[in-house]
Amino acid sequence: MTTAPVRRLPQRSRLQRAEPPGDGRFAASARCLGNRSMSTPAFLEWFAERTGAHRFEVERIPFGEMDHWRLEHGTGNLRHDSGRFFSVEGLRVRTDLPGTPTWAQPIIHQPEHGLLGLLVREVDGHFQFLVQAKMEPGNAGLTQLSPTVQVTRSNYTGVHGGARAPYLEHFMGPGRGRVLVDVLQSEQGDSFHRKRNRNMVVEVRPDLPVLEDFCWLTLGQIAELLRRDNLVNMDTRTVLSCISFRTSAEDRRWAVSTAVDRFAAALADSFLGDDRALHTTPEILSWLTELRSLHEMHTELIPLAEVPRWRVTEDAVEHVDREYPSVVAVRVRAASREVAQWTQPLIHPHHEGLAAFLVQRVEGVPHVLMQAKAQPGLFDMFELAPTVQCVGRDYRRLALTEQPPFLDAVLTAPASRIRYSAVLSEEGGRFLRRENRYMVIEVPDDVELEIPPTHRFVTPGQLTRLVRQTAQVNVEARTLLACLQQLW
Amino acid sequence: MTTAPVRRLPQRSRLQRAEPPGDGRFAASARCLGNRSMSTPAFLEWFAERTGAHRFEVERIPFGEMDHWRLEHGTGNLRHDSGRFFSVEGLRVRTDLPGTPTWAQPIIHQPEHGLLGLLVREVDGHFQFLVQAKMEPGNAGLTQLSPTVQVTRSNYTGVHGGARAPYLEHFMGPGRGRVLVDVLQSEQGDSFHRKRNRNMVVEVRPDLPVLEDFCWLTLGQIAELLRRDNLVNMDTRTVLSCISFRTSAEDRRWAVSTAVDRFAAALADSFLGDDRALHTTPEILSWLTELRSLHEMHTELIPLAEVPRWRVTEDAVEHVDREYPSVVAVRVRAASREVAQWTQPLIHPHHEGLAAFLVQRVEGVPHVLMQAKAQPGLFDMFELAPTVQCVGRDYRRLALTEQPPFLDAVLTAPASRIRYSAVLSEEGGRFLRRENRYMVIEVPDDVELEIPPTHRFVTPGQLTRLVRQTAQVNVEARTLLACLQQLW
């Protein structure tokens, strides 16, 4: 096996370029946007302007001050009077996996699929995505970059009446555009009970009118923005991870030829195919199938009041040691929504989480060290997760025996090996300031890693193909995959 | 789009040929088999001899005569004293799909994955599969052709001790062979609660010792045997449907060049790729994703005793009108098993079912008209099903308004258009004489079918790729797909 020769040319890939084609000099005003796109500096100006245009205020309140939400008598479950939206209940878990054999915990129960959709257009051979500056009460900074639509099933099927989200018609019904991606993906397996969202990418005609709070960005621009803390929201990241139409050999060769170093070049190259992967894709799927077959994780919804070691206070359902996220209530005052104010529960972690990919070249081909991780809320028990995923408890305070493999390698990686690092927010409609540090760490070729049976090397190209199947790659890994795909 | 020119040569594909390479003239004795294979006539002689070598007797008995199985007091659920094997319970279903919005029914509850595995070897460039003459109490004829192993999870994990099935070590653990297929597939969605089995194909060294009751067959031989009623069992058929390593362009071109007519040639050709498919594979997956997102089918296990319109008699749990399958008990007396006799419950339908593919060439490319069918026991609600699937109730007695689309087209097809027709048994370890007539009907090019939103044209090549993903193609469609793959 040999590594393909790497050409170094000054220009960037047409899909990687940061500036949009055509006139990049836009007034940073939504009114002026028409159907055109913006330069990245203009975008940032516009984004700040949109954020400022709507005043939002989010404050924690006692449960007793919530409108239409209540801790149900008897069960203690947190529900909306209408039975809509979601509820917070208890989950009892029993498993034969190593570690704790049985436990109970709060869980978000929302038995329906939301829709996360990105519209894409092609202008002069370049793809542009219609993104939205959108407030979610739990987001750091409140407003982040969202996909074109991000709605619950009730909203998109219109069962409860009410205003439909803008652009929804392009994802639904006979007149919709060309569907490029349409796949159900999991959400956080530690917090949601079997929840999946529909991730869609639909191509539309280039002259689609652009509404206030929306704008077109190239993949290169989104890649730049992914480098910033708490700007590109989780829903955008998961939909981006499903995009494989960018992995044509021609586009990738461009990326390879323009990458700044051998590692980056090899990483970009690896999206071209899995011919030189350490394990075939059927072998990777077989590994997951075997784990799903050999192990059991039995889950059962129980009343929230019956979850041991959790207590209900005036303004939180919390773990007695506050080790795990609490359930809290907030009031949101907003001008940009049809409802001027509302209250809702959110899940509030006490610590920043960590999710990291270790990437190493095997015979010259970059591989990501993936973990097969079981989580109680996942649709099919095991999914591929980042090399290190510490998102429930404080990873800085774990006892030595509790530390997951490779945590130390991530925490002690020298700056020169840290290829990506940013703090990103998880779903701001369900979590209050759930933030994870996402990292990509390069492991030198000559370091011999001891690979436990929970981990296996997978190429980025294989991951990109696996993510097109429903619920094989977990949400934290999809964020990191989106970064890998877009940054190289 | 044009149709590829069809060459007509007298020879058959190397994978299609009915005779194995080497000496096909074998004494039909297990003792003589060594590690070699047999001609098909020799196989049939051997199979009859193996069937005769073990005397089996299966008789219906009252529930009261069962050993270790009982109708549990209170719930009425049918369970084994040990808690092992499976239970028959009730299932309450609530759905927004057209038709009955809510009902309850008996269901088989077996919350673990069985393993259905075929060993394959390559001899002189030909694949051969290790099959087994195996008795299952519910099979027509009792003994049928099974895959190499067909075991429950308890057996293959060895949790309960006891003898492990022969050849199991080739599917498990570090010393196993090369894994070609390893995917979880659904069972009958009308009868099993979220049951999936692991379907595996593993390549082993050619000189593996062949035990009594086992023999090597080529795909061509299995194809011939698929033409016979009640010979190739369901587990063999579902594993066969997952085989795509036979679809290399070279092999397929052989098949195309040797096919006997234009329809068969085009069908064989269609496994080569989906470039000329009416819908792209992402579009087909999007269709399934949309149905799974837009519709709800809520299911809940309930006590069997609480299922309305079902009554418990001395020897059956049956629907008051006997329209749906009954739960019955049998005693099996067998010489070839470690246990000399046992009793167990089986699900016994009152009618033969029907499952048919309509196949039509669209722009010269054969397409199968697939149905997206929701069933309460399926893991993900909707799977791709045959054009017509009438397996629960008697399709000959349905009222006009109850008849599914295309039933009439199947039942009135002229003999010249019936490309395949055979009666095959479903899982004989759970069903007593559950038999379906499987048919492939050719629709002439100039017939304009009115396609309802429940149906869509898919190429056989697309189906072959979809079946490699977990739980996208239902068990009846997999049987028909195996026939399509092997017969053309």
Side-chain angles (χ1 to χ4, degrees), chain B residues 338-379:
Chain B
E338 55 279 12
V339 194
Q341 78 150 48
W342 73 90
T343 59
Q344 71 165 87
L346 290 171
I347 308 291
H348 181 44
H350 302 290
H351 319 282
E352 184 180 284
L354 175 70
F357 274 178
L358 290 192
V359 182
Q360 189 178 37
R361 296 197 303 175
V362 181
E363 307 264 0
V365 178
H367 283 71
V368 185
L369 189 55
M370 297 301 293
Q371 179 186 178
K373 190 173 176 65
Q375 292 185 287
L378 293 182
F379 188 70

Side-chain angles (χ1 to χ4, degrees), chain A residues 153 182 194 286 294 380, chain B residues 153 182 194 196 286 294:
Chain A
R153 179 176 176 276
D182 189 358
R194 302 175 61 78
S286 173
L294 292 184
D380 210 357
Chain B
R153 179 175 175 278
D182 189 358
R194 301 175 63 77
R196 292 183 300 170
S286 172
L294 293 185

Side-chain angles (χ1 to χ4, degrees), chain B residues 120-421:
Chain B
V120 61
R121 69 176 183 180
E122 200 178 338
V123 177
D124 299 336
H126 299 265
F127 289 118
Q128 296 180 339
F129 295 83
L130 191 61
V131 292
Q132 183 186 178
K134 186 179 170 69
M135 195 284 301
E136 293 287 326
N139 281 341
L142 296 185
T143 300
Q144 294 194 2
L145 206 61
S146 298
T148 320
V149 303
Q150 147 181 339
V151 294
T152 61
R153 179 175 175 278
S154 316
N155 186 306
Y156 77 84
T157 57
V159 278
H160 299 293
R164 304 237 306 182
Y167 298 112
L168 198 52
E169 68 275 18
H170 298 283
F171 295 92
M172 316 281 299
R176 72 174 176 191
R178 189 164 68 104
V179 175
L180 302 177
V181 170
D182 189 358
V183 60
L184 295 172
Q185 300 289 8
S186 59
E187 299 231 324
Q188 282 77 4
D190 51 30
S191 301
F192 288 96
H193 181 57
R194 301 175 63 77
K195 175 96 166 74
R196 292 183 300 170
N197 277 323
R198 195 172 166 193
N199 286 226
M200 291 186 81
V201 179
V202 172
E203 189 178 351
V204 286
R205 57 172 211 275
D207 62 343
L208 195 71
V210 174
L211 301 173
E212 197 177 64
D213 294 330
F214 289 83
C215 77
W216 293 105
L217 291 182
T218 65
L219 276 177
Q221 289 179 303
I222 296 174
E224 267 191 271
L225 301 175
L226 273 171
R227 293 253 178 221
R228 291 171 183 254
D229 285 352
N230 292 314
L231 180 50
V232 179
N233 89 349
M234 187 192 87
D235 295 344
T236 307
R237 294 174 337 240
T238 175
V239 179
L240 281 177
S241 75
C242 305
I243 297 176
S244 69
F245 53 85
R246 200 184 145 240
T247 63
S248 76
E250 197 202 328
D251 289 338
R252 287 296 169 190
R253 292 221 170 83
W254 268 101
V256 172
S257 66
T258 58
V260 291
D261 61 29
R262 288 184 61 84
F263 177 79
L267 195 49
D269 192 28
S270 70
F271 283 95
L272 285 171
D274 64 343
D275 304 354
R276 297 189 301 149
L278 193 58
H279 308 286
T280 65
T281 304
E283 281 168 354
I284 298 297
L285 285 170
S286 172
W287 177 45
L288 284 173
T289 300
E290 177 149 300
L291 288 166
R292 289 168 180 155
S293 297
L294 293 185
H295 293 290
E296 288 181 314
M297 187 174 264
H298 179 80
T299 60
E300 184 189 3
L301 287 171
I302 60 170
L304 187 57
E306 288 180 19
V307 177
R309 295 180 58 77
W310 288 73
R311 67 178 164 222
V312 183
T313 70
E314 202 177 60
D315 62 359
V317 180
E318 61 186 17
H319 186 253
V320 289
D321 301 327
R322 303 194 57 176
E323 214 176 336
Y324 300 98
S326 302
V327 184
V328 301
V330 295
R331 170 174 290 117
V332 187
R333 289 198 177 88
S336 72
R337 295 240 180 168
E338 55 279 12
V339 194
Q341 78 150 48
W342 73 90
T343 59
Q344 71 165 87
L346 290 171
I347 308 291
H348 181 44
H350 302 290
H351 319 282
E352 184 180 284
L354 175 70
F357 274 178
L358 290 192
V359 182
Q360 189 178 37
R361 296 197 303 175
V362 181
E363 307 264 0
V365 178
H367 283 71
V368 185
L369 189 55
M370 297 301 293
Q371 179 186 178
K373 190 173 176 65
Q375 292 185 287
L378 293 182
F379 188 70
D380 209 358
M381 191 172 18
F382 278 91
E383 294 188 8
L384 292 177
T387 321
V388 173
Q389 172 172 325
C390 291
V391 295
R393 299 162 65 194
D394 188 354
Y395 62 88
R396 296 173 204 82
R397 288 163 177 248
L398 294 175
L400 259 179
T401 53
E402 294 178 312
Q403 290 178 11
F406 308 111
L407 175 61
D408 201 51
V410 171
L411 296 181
T412 61
S416 64
R417 295 294 177 188
I418 299 174
R419 294 306 192 127
Y420 175 77
S421 180

Side-chain angles (χ1 to χ4, degrees), chain A residues 216-227:
Chain A
W216 293 105
L217 290 182
T218 66
L219 275 176
Q221 289 179 304
I222 296 175
E224 268 192 272
L225 301 174
L226 273 170
R227 293 251 178 224

Side-chain angles (χ1 to χ4, degrees), chain B residues 403-457:
Chain B
Q403 290 178 11
F406 308 111
L407 175 61
D408 201 51
V410 171
L411 296 181
T412 61
S416 64
R417 295 294 177 188
I418 299 174
R419 294 306 192 127
Y420 175 77
S421 180
V423 174
L424 302 174
S425 297
E426 306 301 304
E427 179 59 45
R430 296 293 173 270
F431 299 110
L432 178 60
R433 306 282 318 243
R434 177 166 175 161
E435 292 159 36
N436 294 323
R437 178 161 292 280
Y438 285 97
M439 299 177 81
V440 177
I441 312 279
E442 176 195 354
V443 180
D445 298 7
D446 58 356
V447 171
E448 218 165 287
L449 294 172
E450 195 180 318
I451 313 292
T454 48
H455 287 68
R456 204 154 287 194
F457 273 122

